[in-house]
Amino acid sequence: MDVKTLCLGALSFGEATGYDIKKFFECTFSYFFVASYGSIYPALADLTEKGWVACHCEAQDGKPDKKVYALTDTGRAAFAQELGRTPPNHKIRSEFLVLMYFAHLLPKDKIADLVDQRVTEFERALEHIREFEQRHGGDECSSPPPGARICCGYGKAVTIAAREYLLNQRAAIVQLGTDGADSRNWD
Amino acid sequence: MDVKTLCLGALSFGEATGYDIKKFFECTFSYFFVASYGSIYPALADLTEKGWVACHCEAQDGKPDKKVYALTDTGRAAFAQELGRTPPNHKIRSEFLVLMYFAHLLPKDKIADLVDQRVTEFERALEHIREFEQRHGGDECSSPPPGARICCGYGKAVTIAAREYLLNQRAAIVQLGTDGADSRNWD
DNA sequence: TGAATCATGTAACTGGTTACATGATTCG
DNA sequence: CGAATCATGTAACCAGTTACATGATTCA
């Protein structure tokens, strides 16, 4: 599965510009999929050529024309088919954990910073999820699909577990590091 | 951080061939970092050119010469420095969660399969971790660095949380799917 | 006044994967 | 007898990022 397909997915909830789609990626997929303008705009051009999305321009003063994209029927079918044959991979690429693995080569204060930083990021993510839950509290009628709740729940469960682990082990992890103020400051 | 750096990391525990390093990646980094021969061999060639690793050949009958790599002092320093300036990113790329997000477009039986499959993979991972814990149980003297325990503990905590969530929500998730036997089998 | 937001796009680069090519040996 | 393991590498390809280019508007 690539950015192109995810753009179809984003458009399955309604019309949008490339700019909107980037926003969409950021606020709903960010936990498990990222994409930048440099991949979204070419993707939309490609999808238009294939006839999977249709585009109409809205002139604006000063700003460049707004290109609003919409999923075509062919596009909708292509998206469903693509979903059907997507292998359900789940990959983590974590420089943070690499650093933890090699903690014995890092100064203690640095490790403490790394752990605290990560905990903070987890907290931010949880805040983000809480906001989502409030926005889409009782009302079953609003935009996000039911699967969004599952993804949020999943993210929440995993993030809480990770945060708890780091907080419990913080002292032990820091102890793995080297002493000596700020090793290797002599370079 | 790239494969090149991680190769230095692998070699920080002793000599190894490219083949060994691949093995090492698979059995110790696999949870948070992957690499294939196509990136490892060129990386080693590069590192040799830079003088960060040294290579001596061992002739073998039939098989191609074994090239045993060892970290040089420069290489060790370079690795430490690289660790020091590595931003502690932590990214997830999950087609599985994308599929959950769009569960309303998939047939129920397919979703059930996806969830079960993922749970099975989590179980495999936990098994893997349990083996590690047993191998390196009481003895503090064996090879893996202390950080390995932390990574394992982290992986364990997170994996258990994920598995529990999926098991608890399984029925609810499946219900999000479409009925109708095997949608879209008419293509 | 300067930063953020809206809005589009391209070109160069990068960091990887996949598939291929080769071939003996050992294990079940 | 066939699969897996040991062992090395390359070439073609690919998906994506980063940085650049442009520029009005709105908000603090």
Side-chain angles (χ1 to χ4, degrees):
Chain A
M1 172 161 319
D2 52 14
V3 171
K4 235 181 320 191
T5 311
L6 258 284
C7 283
L8 292 179
L11 291 172
S12 76
F13 303 114
E15 295 191 332
T17 66
Y19 191 84
D20 294 333
I21 292 178
K22 173 82 193 309
K23 280 281 158 75
F24 189 76
F25 269 75
E26 270 163 16
C27 71
T28 69
F29 294 149
S30 62
Y31 175 62
F32 50 90
F33 209 103
V34 279
S36 59
Y37 289 129
S39 56
I40 291 172
Y41 282 118
L44 289 170
D46 235 64
L47 291 169
T48 309
E49 213 173 339
K50 277 210 175 90
W52 290 355
V53 302
C55 164
H56 67 98
C57 295
E58 282 174 20
Q60 295 185 125
D61 44 323
K63 300 177 199 173
D65 288 1
K66 199 189 234 182
K67 287 185 166 187
V68 181
Y69 293 89
L71 203 53
T72 62
D73 289 338
T74 345
R76 197 170 291 273
F79 179 55
Q81 201 178 315
E82 178 64 24
L83 280 186
R85 64 150 163 256
T86 295
N89 298 329
H90 183 81
K91 275 180 197 158
I92 295 164
R93 161 92 169 226
S94 175
E95 267 87 27
F96 170 72
L97 287 173
V98 171
L99 291 172
M100 292 302 104
Y101 194 92
F102 292 102
H104 59 290
L105 300 177
L106 294 168
K108 285 182 174 157
D109 52 354
K110 167 99 182 175
I111 296 174
D113 281 354
L114 288 171
V115 172
D116 293 342
Q117 215 179 303
R118 185 110 294 276
V119 168
T120 305
E121 261 165 73
F122 285 149
E123 236 119 54
R124 236 200 303 276
L126 288 171
E127 186 57 40
H128 194 236
I129 291 174
R130 236 172 279 130
E131 274 166 30
F132 174 89
E133 288 173 338
Q134 272 160 23
R135 264 203 311 275
H136 310 286
D139 56 337
E140 291 294 335
C141 58
S142 56
S143 35
R149 288 182 126 79
I150 301 299
C151 290
C152 272
Y154 182 98
K156 194 175 174 182
V158 162
T159 305
I160 288 175
R163 184 193 56 182
E164 290 314 292
Y165 182 78
L166 288 187
L167 287 175
N168 285 334
Q169 300 294 318
R170 187 179 185 283
I173 301 172
V174 170
Q175 277 310 309
L176 301 181
T178 57
D179 281 301
D182 240 8
S183 17
R184 263 158 269 306
N185 243 5
W186 29 266
D187 67 333
Chain B
M1 172 160 321
D2 52 14
V3 171
K4 234 178 327 190
T5 311
L6 258 285
C7 284
L8 292 179
L11 291 172
S12 76
F13 303 115
E15 295 191 334
T17 66
Y19 192 83
D20 294 333
I21 292 177
K22 174 81 193 310
K23 281 280 158 76
F24 188 77
F25 269 75
E26 270 164 16
C27 71
T28 68
F29 294 149
S30 62
Y31 175 61
F32 50 90
F33 210 103
V34 279
S36 58
Y37 289 129
S39 57
I40 292 173
Y41 282 118
L44 289 170
D46 236 64
L47 292 170
T48 309
E49 213 173 341
K50 277 209 174 91
W52 290 354
V53 302
C55 164
H56 68 97
C57 295
E58 282 174 19
Q60 295 187 126
D61 44 324
K63 299 176 199 172
D65 288 1
K66 199 188 233 181
K67 287 185 166 185
V68 181
Y69 294 89
L71 203 53
T72 62
D73 289 339
T74 346
R76 197 170 291 274
F79 180 54
Q81 201 178 314
E82 177 64 24
L83 280 186
R85 64 149 163 257
T86 295
N89 297 330
H90 183 81
K91 274 179 197 161
I92 294 165
R93 161 92 169 226
S94 177
E95 267 86 27
F96 169 72
L97 287 173
V98 171
L99 291 171
M100 292 301 104
Y101 194 91
F102 292 103
H104 59 291
L105 300 177
L106 293 168
K108 285 181 174 157
D109 52 355
K110 167 99 182 175
I111 296 174
D113 282 354
L114 289 170
V115 172
D116 294 341
Q117 215 178 304
R118 186 110 295 276
V119 168
T120 305
E121 262 167 72
F122 285 148
E123 236 118 55
R124 236 200 304 276
L126 289 171
E127 186 58 39
H128 195 236
I129 292 174
R130 236 171 279 131
E131 274 166 31
F132 174 89
E133 288 173 338
Q134 273 161 20
R135 264 203 313 276
H136 310 286
D139 55 337
E140 290 295 334
C141 59
S142 56
S143 35
R149 288 184 127 78
I150 301 300
C151 290
C152 271
Y154 182 98
K156 194 176 174 180
V158 162
T159 305
I160 288 176
R163 185 194 56 183
E164 291 314 292
Y165 182 78
L166 287 187
L167 287 176
N168 285 333
Q169 299 294 317
R170 187 179 184 283
I173 301 171
V174 170
Q175 278 308 309
L176 301 180
T178 57
D179 281 302
D182 241 7
S183 338
R184 265 161 264 305
N185 243 5
W186 31 263
D187 68 333

